[in-house]
Amino acid sequence: MGKLRKGRKNQRGRLNPVAKKMGSNASKQEIKDETLRQNKIVPLIGKLSSSAPNDRSVALSAITVLAEDERMRKILLKERLVPTVMEQTLNDSNEELVVESFGLLRNLTIEEGYEVAKFLWRSNIWASIESGLTKIENSLKFMQSEPKGIDKKITHMLFDFIENVLSLIVLIASCSDDLYESIYSKIGRVVNLVIDALNWNIAKLRTVKLFNSLLDFIYEFASDSAEFITSLADMPSFSLPKLLEAVQLPAHKNNNLGKIYVQGIYFHFLEVKGDETTTKDNACAHLLKATFDTVTSIDINNVKTCLSTADNAHEPIQKPKPDEKLEDIDVPFGGESAEKINARSDLQAIDISIDLFTSICEYLALNESEIQEQTSLNESLINLFLDVAHPSYMHLLTFDQENDEILQLTSKLLIAYNNMCWLFLSMDAIPTAWYSKIPELWEAAEKVAKTENLEYQRLTLNIFWALTKSVGPEVKDKVSLEDVKGLLTKCNLLTSSMGEAKELDLSSLEYVLSAIGFLGSIAQVIGNTEITSEVSQLLVVLIRHFAASQNNMKEAKAIEIPIECLNLLYDIFGDASYEYDLPVFVQQNYLQKLEELEPIVKSCYKHIDKNKNPELKLRAEEAWTNLGRFIQYKKSERQ
């Protein structure tokens, strides 16, 4: 009988009977993950249920750090991390554990989004939130009545608790419309607490971090709900003027994020309630100036340096040298440095300011007094757009692209530029000075478009679309036949791949929509019959494909494609005098093609549910009605 070698144990006896069995074909990574799961993850999660408070605390802290890594987080979630936290530590008798638990759930919701948020809501997270709110309310009342009665550690823990709870509420609400409605129906108590805490901080700033977390809550809900703004305006305890004054105080000198939050809240009030003290243009001009004054003071090179510097949280603890003096620094163990925290805050300020700018462009493009009329901007606003916004955003876009997108602002900057371009198009006259800026923007957008990122390509196409409508025939200096054929090929490939996969990809649909908008605009002005012919053929192909129910699968974004294609064809062939009308529309028999499309378009329109998509239904009906009229018009045009 063989003997076990000394020092070795029976491996079979160490196997977890419920562990995932690793076959002979298991990859090294799978084996490594399974070992990690058994030896580290499972024991850690098990300690959350320990009777020893210290074990629970150490385990929760370790899990919070591990969850920052995507691979670790996936393994943790598979081991029922979220339900375990909700059952064991979220309602712990140790207040510090409760605070950390809310922080962990917040972080998981940030990273995993809807799935975690949905699970939390279905698991009645609101009961724990209500319990937390009670503790916060009682603590704030005590602190307000006995300001020196609580030591600093407990005070800061309370502030962290408030931030974690409010952030979690906002994150869950932002994950879906259903979750938003569910949260919104219950936030009355939360709003009262936020306003109370905010007023307490206005009177005397406790911490910038707490102040900003309170503003973040108001800003997020104000961004999504006119009803929220109306309710807030009716609250005697809330004062927007006091907020605007507060962030100008010396205590907020370096609080760029807080200033942007307040400016954002003011804008959403302006949208809903207006400002009786000034005009729409002047209000927006003042707001934009304040916003750019704030964010242009931020040193993005310093932000880059701080964010590029690795923390030593994951490094082994080093024994101090005999002659080394230990310093007391105000940074949590294993946490980020104060410099990195400030850099993140400044970057968030820039990020939100771009969102704000984008919304202001959209707001200004709408002429509320005469919906059908074009808008006009005063000189102050135009100068801000051209002399402040454009160079600032061009600098940020270039910086982000040249530094491996460390700021992660490229997408938002492209959207902001898109809205500004279309704002100028909505004006009764495009500002003359804008034309001198277009070449620089076109060149920058072209560089971004060369990346493999489909979303960036789509966003740049939207910009090219707007710029093409601005410069007209001059676009021929920017666009070649090769460029057009490349776009045509890509649209066909994306359409074909969706057909083969028998499922629709939203990003591909959005790309096709942007591409046809740009191509359709080019076809009208480029002065190249071959390009106009190629584009027109694509539009017909896309109408035939996406108007069919089996291809659009009743997806709104897919149905938008034939609608947009039809409208573009009406524009392209709107007059027989166009030089390409005879060789393309007439000689290529487009009249017959359109007549063949008419029943397909009608069927597409009829299948749209007017209850689910009322606006889309109206647009489809208009496109179909216009198709019949257009056919009759083209029949009689050359008679």
Side-chain angles (χ1 to χ4, degrees), residues 145-293:
S145 60
E146 299 287 341
K148 297 181 180 179
I150 303 179
D151 66 38
K152 287 186 177 181
K153 182 180 178 181
I154 295 176
T155 299
H156 284 289
M157 186 171 71
L158 173 64
F159 294 165
D160 286 343
F161 193 17
I162 295 172
E163 181 187 4
N164 291 348
V165 171
L166 294 182
S167 298
L168 183 60
I169 292 172
V170 169
L171 286 164
I172 294 173
S174 66
C175 284
S176 74
D177 290 341
D178 288 345
L179 287 173
Y180 180 89
E181 293 300 327
S182 298
I183 290 283
Y184 188 76
S185 66
K186 297 176 179 290
I187 63 166
R189 179 185 178 187
V190 189
V191 174
N192 288 328
L193 185 152
V194 168
I195 301 305
D196 183 38
L198 198 55
N199 288 333
W200 183 52
N201 270 265
I202 288 174
K204 179 184 177 182
L205 182 66
R206 268 64 191 181
T207 71
V208 167
K209 186 180 178 185
L210 173 63
F211 186 79
N212 287 350
S213 68
L214 297 168
L215 291 177
D216 174 68
F217 178 88
I218 296 174
Y219 173 79
E220 290 296 337
F221 279 97
S223 301
D224 290 322
S225 172
E227 182 184 346
F228 177 83
I229 293 170
T230 302
S231 300
L232 203 59
D234 291 338
M235 291 180 66
S237 57
F238 178 77
S239 172
L240 183 56
K242 283 186 178 179
L243 264 185
L244 291 165
E245 291 173 10
V247 291
Q248 300 306 317
L249 295 173
H252 290 279
K253 180 182 178 182
N254 297 318
N255 184 14
N256 296 312
L257 179 57
K259 292 173 185 176
I260 295 298
Y261 272 138
V262 173
Q263 288 153 9
I265 293 167
Y266 169 74
F267 170 69
H268 292 304
F269 266 77
L270 180 66
E271 279 187 300
V272 177
K273 306 289 290 183
D275 188 338
E276 296 178 356
T277 66
T278 186
T279 65
K280 177 179 176 179
D281 277 17
N282 286 338
C284 289
H286 177 77
L287 182 55
L288 285 173
K289 184 179 184 306
T291 300
F292 280 104
D293 283 348

Side-chain angles (χ1 to χ4, degrees), residues 33-130:
D33 285 352
E34 179 59 20
T35 303
L36 175 69
R37 187 190 75 82
Q38 291 188 45
N39 296 343
K40 189 169 186 177
I41 301 300
V42 172
L44 260 181
I45 293 179
K47 285 187 178 181
L48 294 178
S49 306
S50 170
S51 59
N54 188 58
D55 285 351
R56 299 197 300 274
S57 179
V58 171
L60 187 61
S61 297
I63 288 170
T64 300
V65 174
L66 289 174
E68 293 176 8
D69 178 83
E70 184 179 2
R71 184 170 65 89
M72 293 286 196
R73 187 168 61 250
K74 298 297 183 186
I75 299 173
L76 285 163
L77 290 172
K78 286 180 181 178
E79 295 302 316
R80 299 187 75 254
L81 172 63
V82 175
T84 303
V85 169
M86 292 189 70
E87 293 164 8
Q88 301 298 330
T89 59
L90 196 60
N91 300 298
D92 202 280
S93 57
N94 184 326
E95 297 296 339
E96 194 169 346
L97 276 177
V98 175
V99 174
E100 288 186 27
S101 296
F102 270 103
L104 174 59
L105 293 179
R106 175 202 58 192
N107 294 347
L108 292 172
T109 308
I110 289 173
E111 299 297 341
E112 299 297 323
Y114 178 71
E115 291 303 321
V116 168
K118 179 177 67 174
F119 180 86
L120 289 174
W121 189 255
R122 289 179 176 176
S123 302
N124 198 21
I125 186 65
W126 196 257
S128 297
I129 289 174
E130 289 273 12

